[in-house]
Amino acid sequence: MHPVIPYVLAALLFGIGGYGVLVRRNAVLLLMAVELMLNAVNLVLVTADATIVGLPHSGQVFALFVIVIAAAEIGVGLAIVLQLYRLRRTVATDSIDAGEGTVLPRAEPMPEPGSAQTGPDQVGAR
Amino acid sequence: MILAQTVAAAGPALDAAPALAAAGDVSVGEQVVFWILAPVALGGAIGMVAARNAVHSALFLVTTMFALAVFYVLQAGPFIGMVQIIVYTGAIMMLFLFVLMLVGREASDSLIETLRGQRMAAIGLGIGFALLVASALTRGLGAVSAQGLEEANRGGNVEGIAAVLFTRYIFAFEVTSALLITAAVGAMVLAHVERPKGMKVSQKERSRARFAEGSYPGMKAGPGVFATSDSVATPALLPDGGESDRSISRVVPARGLTSAEAAPKHTER
């Protein structure tokens, strides 16, 4: 009974993560669901390391690699999400038109923090 | 509340971990912790998928990751459990929350299903999959117990991992370092915004604009100041006796008042 609980839990977590990837529209939450799937795989690796006869600690080393790769992936993925937000002012994956060859109109760039304060009213209010 | 429960459960588990898992056979305490924490982890995962608010979703994921860290500690991996807490809940989730705060008001998500019956089908298939995996694994692994863990963990878990990591998996380790530096450079390139030199407003130009003709650098008088009426519709008097239009809120005339009411009240001298 001992190794079965973590394995089944990992399978369920992976399934929930996959469902989250499919159903979420916010790009940040989508990446979080991917993280859940990676965590499920980590749980399988660590459990297998503790229960299956083989080179000891291999599973834990693999889990360590997965964690490192997840950190790298999240760094790049969130940078892409931020760039997307800067360009389109939204992170909803449904509203991004990825049609081939169509150049989408570039949304208004983010207002500079300093530029809004040079109007006469705001200057006077200081 | 779930988080507190998780942390409370983690306390005794940390002390007992190596002895429990290295012993090889299933101890009662280990099973109890598993049965408590497995629903917590599952509930966190379901909450993450189902929560409407993005920040709640992130916190649910933190709960799940804490529960998984306790699982790792229980399975003779205290080092990997600590790495899970430090890297995942400490660094990655904070990065997620940081970006959620940056993205801001659009963070909430609509959960309307686009395919009819999709959710029910997913739940049914998930339960079926869990039953399938559970039955197969129970048959396959029912009598398996850990072997060699005690000897491997004798010198300490960190030493054991290091010995394997820096001998057998040294090439993967080096490749991972290259991957990490590539990812760091890539994230910097993606997040960097190139701004032309002319667009950058210097402190000098800002100060010039502030004192330019037509803008008044000082504080403006509030409505009713130096006037006989303290109505918000009464403009303040400037030092030269004139009325300051800027002291009246732009909102006042737009609140359904008659034009006589909205007109600036003049000060009687």
Side-chain angles (χ1 to χ4, degrees), chain B residues 58-141:
Chain B
L59 292 179
F60 273 123
L61 188 55
V62 169
T63 310
T64 299
M65 284 173 176
F66 264 119
L68 288 186
V70 177
F71 281 168
Y72 297 166
V73 171
L74 271 181
Q75 313 234 32
F79 176 69
I80 204 82
M82 289 303 130
V83 167
Q84 165 89 1
I85 290 178
I86 293 169
V87 175
Y88 258 119
T89 61
I92 294 183
M93 289 318 293
M94 288 314 113
L95 204 60
F96 268 118
L97 282 176
F98 186 73
V99 171
L100 276 180
M101 299 295 168
L102 268 183
V103 171
R105 65 197 185 291
E106 293 163 52
S108 53
D109 203 355
S110 76
L111 284 171
I112 308 157
E113 47 186 330
T114 45
L115 296 175
R116 184 182 295 267
Q118 177 195 24
R119 195 162 299 161
M120 291 320 290
I123 290 170
L125 282 177
I127 291 172
F129 179 57
L131 287 179
L132 191 68
V133 171
S135 59
L137 285 178
T138 313
R139 282 177 71 90
L141 293 171

Side-chain angles (χ1 to χ4, degrees), chain B:
Chain B
M1 201 185 71
I2 301 170
L3 203 67
Q5 202 179 340
T6 312
V7 173
L14 290 183
D15 305 327
L20 282 181
D25 48 20
V26 186
S27 81
V28 179
E30 194 179 1
Q31 284 235 12
V32 167
V33 175
F34 267 120
W35 280 113
I36 292 173
L37 279 187
V40 171
L42 262 189
I46 292 172
M48 191 215 86
V49 174
R52 194 168 280 269
N53 189 323
V55 178
H56 293 175
S57 194
L59 292 179
F60 273 123
L61 188 55
V62 169
T63 310
T64 299
M65 284 173 176
F66 264 119
L68 288 186
V70 177
F71 281 168
Y72 297 166
V73 171
L74 271 181
Q75 313 234 32
F79 176 69
I80 204 82
M82 289 303 130
V83 167
Q84 165 89 1
I85 290 178
I86 293 169
V87 175
Y88 258 119
T89 61
I92 294 183
M93 289 318 293
M94 288 314 113
L95 204 60
F96 268 118
L97 282 176
F98 186 73
V99 171
L100 276 180
M101 299 295 168
L102 268 183
V103 171
R105 65 197 185 291
E106 293 163 52
S108 53
D109 203 355
S110 76
L111 284 171
I112 308 157
E113 47 186 330
T114 45
L115 296 175
R116 184 182 295 267
Q118 177 195 24
R119 195 162 299 161
M120 291 320 290
I123 290 170
L125 282 177
I127 291 172
F129 179 57
L131 287 179
L132 191 68
V133 171
S135 59
L137 285 178
T138 313
R139 282 177 71 90
L141 293 171
V144 169
S145 62
Q147 287 178 14
L149 257 184
E150 206 167 348
E151 300 92 78
N153 267 340
R154 183 162 292 150
N157 181 250
V158 182
E159 284 85 348
I161 287 181
V164 180
L165 185 62
F166 292 120
T167 53
R168 193 185 169 111
Y169 299 112
I170 184 69
F171 184 67
F173 181 77
E174 296 294 342
V175 170
T176 309
S177 71
L179 175 96
L180 260 187
I181 202 133
T182 313
V185 172
M188 275 197 281
V189 167
L190 282 171
H192 181 66
V193 184
E194 191 78 39
R195 201 167 284 145
K197 241 182 182 168
M199 271 179 70
K200 203 168 181 185
V201 187
S202 68
Q203 182 63 35
K204 201 171 170 185
E205 284 149 9
R206 257 179 220 181
S207 186
R208 279 229 174 95
R210 199 173 157 195
F211 287 94
E213 197 71 30
S215 55
Y216 181 66
M219 226 160 78
K220 63 178 174 186
V225 175
F226 308 126
T228 53
S229 161
D230 57 358
S231 157
V232 285
T234 307
L237 295 184
L238 293 174
D240 61 357
E243 285 159 359
S244 166
D245 293 336
R246 293 192 302 140
S247 65
I248 309 175
S249 168
R250 253 174 258 153
V251 188
V252 172
R255 269 195 294 192
L257 304 174
T258 62
S259 56
E261 281 171 325
K265 309 282 185 297
H266 292 281
T267 305
E268 299 109 24
R269 309 240 167 118

Side-chain angles (χ1 to χ4, degrees), chain A residues 50-97:
Chain A
T51 52
I52 288 176
V53 183
L55 184 61
H57 292 312
S58 281
Q60 293 187 21
V61 170
F62 286 172
L64 207 57
F65 281 135
V66 171
I67 288 179
V68 170
I69 289 167
E73 171 230 326
I74 287 313
V76 175
L78 287 179
I80 291 174
V81 168
L82 271 186
Q83 189 77 349
L84 179 72
Y85 180 70
R86 211 175 274 144
L87 287 177
R88 304 277 155 79
R89 309 292 293 157
T90 180
V91 289
T93 47
D94 273 5
S95 63
I96 297 162
D97 183 11

